[in-house]
Amino acid sequence: MVLSEVLTGNYAVAYAAKMARVQVIAAYPITPQTTIVEKLAQFVESGELNAKYIRVESEHSAMAACIGAAATGARAFTATASHGLLYMSEMVWWAGMGRYPIVMAVVTRAIGPPWSIWTEHNDVLAHRDSGWIIFFAEDNQEVFDLTVQAFRIAENEKVLQPVMVTLDAFILSHTAAPVLMPDQNQVDEFLPPPGSRKLPYRLDPNNPITHGNLTYPDYFMELRYEIMRAMENAKQVIIDTGRKYGEMTGRYYDGLIEKYKCSNAKAIIIAMGSSAGDAKEAADLLRDEGYEVGVIKMRTIRPFPFEELRETCRNAKIIGVVDRNYSYGFGGIIHGEVKSALNGLKITVQNFIAGLGGRDITVNDFINMGKKLIEMADKGLGEQPPIWINLKKEVIP
Amino acid sequence: MSKIPLTSISKPTKGAVGFTGFWRSFKPVIDQSKCVHCLQCWLYCPEGAIRRIGENLLNVEVDYEYCKGCGICANECPVKAIQMVLEE
């Protein structure tokens, strides 16, 4: 039986974690993530979820507790955002490099100063090299679906890397929308029984070992090489998991990117997170006016979808990458990565910076970007410096 | 050649990185005449470098091959039976 509920993005995460039967939750509150772990606390308190709920003194400890739990083979979950993620950073890397299949929801939020509670992707992207698989969700349904899939991907023996499911602050985290949820029996069949992983490196008092010991240069690189291979394996595992999930729910997730009207597009807009939906709506309206615009939604940024991007963009004239982030002294982060993926193809890759600190990126903004791209392609213009969307030039000294 | 594990692991082994006793600046010296056999030094030693010996294993001695000289045993001893002495 399919259950339909009107849920905020945060509650969608909590329901998914409950249905995945997480065994250990380590929680420290931070806006706009707090209602995820609040809801889970409620589930544990009411007896709906049989899990150990650990209230820790910081995000650093939250991830450390998850690592300890995962090291024994338990299914562990936590959630954080922004400054909490940065405070957790050392343990985020420890989880990635130690290969603990933890699932974490990150509500994307700008990093201060100036203080902000609204969405931006720099918090997550600061951890793009940490060995975590990183998903960006477009809507609350995808938030739920990705969180369930995340456990299956993380615990796959060809992967065994932690997974971040990210959702944009307030636009998803606190906005309610209908979410379809499969039956608990279906989820039980979809995921391996929690704690069933009998890994050779599992902590076990009857066979005592420690993890993370000093490793001399003779073997360090080989351990890192294995993580590289695990992330390459993850590409196919993510695709297979999305298909399997589709068989169960009818909602198929078929790749590391989602292609929307790209097959004959002159210009393709690349977006991620909640604004991808607005980009798709803009593409519809642009198509009505005769502009050949398509949209690529980045579902994962790690592993990075090199092959799919090259294949999809091959016949376009121009690509516009919309970055809700900035690497100061470099440019939009995803723009740089897309350019490296398209290296050698004769395609202009234009960067747009939009929506920093939670500023809206509207359908109209995407329409303007699409028209700009078509104009550049028609005039044969090359790449310009990053274009900051809706920048209030009049207030800049 | 044996294969590497998925993540770095170590098994409990005596002195896996060799003798650590030479790291020591101060050495703990136990005055056996003051010792009350409470075993606090053995409990607190972070390196397992206090050995229990003798009848009923109630006497203690320092394993100087591995003692790093941290001084925790001397600090914890309730009867001040352990002195930290500068290594020559």
Side-chain angles (χ1 to χ4, degrees), chain A residues 177-197:
Chain A
V179 175
L180 298 174
M181 291 182 283
D183 195 72
Q184 180 67 56
N185 294 333
Q186 288 180 295
V187 178
D188 288 344
E189 213 169 295
F190 182 73
L191 296 177
S196 63
R197 294 176 299 113

Side-chain angles (χ1 to χ4, degrees), chain A residues 249-318:
Chain A
T249 61
R251 292 185 299 281
Y252 285 86
Y253 294 94
D254 242 2
L256 306 184
I257 61 174
E258 182 186 318
K259 294 163 268 194
Y260 189 76
K261 303 192 172 178
C262 288
S263 55
N264 60 349
K266 187 188 280 183
I268 294 176
I269 294 172
I270 297 184
M272 53 202 245
S274 58
S275 66
D278 301 299
K280 285 186 265 184
E281 194 175 331
D284 287 344
L285 296 168
L286 284 163
R287 290 267 175 180
D288 288 346
E289 291 183 46
Y291 295 97
E292 294 161 313
V293 174
V295 172
I296 288 174
K297 177 174 93 180
M298 301 284 291
R299 296 187 60 239
T300 69
I301 59 125
R302 289 293 180 276
F304 195 78
F306 283 101
E307 298 85 356
E308 293 179 41
L309 280 174
R310 279 184 79 82
E311 194 51 41
T312 309
C313 295
R314 186 174 297 278
N315 296 319
K317 294 274 180 294
I318 189 165

Side-chain angles (χ1 to χ4, degrees), chain A residues 35-101:
Chain A
T35 55
I36 296 176
V37 292
E38 270 179 8
K39 191 69 182 166
L40 282 166
Q42 210 176 49
F43 287 142
V44 173
E45 181 64 20
S46 68
E48 288 172 84
L49 173 61
N50 179 20
K52 179 79 181 168
Y53 193 96
I54 309 172
R55 286 174 300 155
V56 287
E57 74 280 18
S58 74
E59 289 85 355
H60 189 274
S61 300
M63 185 48 66
C66 285
I67 289 167
T72 70
R75 187 170 286 167
F77 174 85
T78 187
T80 191
S82 187
H83 290 258
L85 182 62
L86 295 195
Y87 194 26
M88 186 191 277
S89 192
E90 184 194 10
M91 290 294 113
V92 171
W93 281 74
W94 197 273
M97 298 296 113
R99 310 196 57 182
Y100 299 103

Side-chain angles (χ1 to χ4, degrees), chain A residues 120-156:
Chain A
E120 190 185 292
H121 296 159
N122 269 95
D123 54 353
V124 172
L125 293 175
H127 295 85
R128 65 189 185 276
D129 306 332
S130 64
W132 284 65
I133 292 166
I134 302 175
F135 281 105
F136 277 82
E138 176 189 331
D139 55 28
N140 294 358
Q141 183 67 63
E142 193 171 14
V143 168
F144 177 90
D145 293 343
L146 283 177
T147 306
V148 173
Q149 290 176 50
F151 291 98
R152 187 174 158 124
I153 294 162
E155 294 174 12
N156 185 295

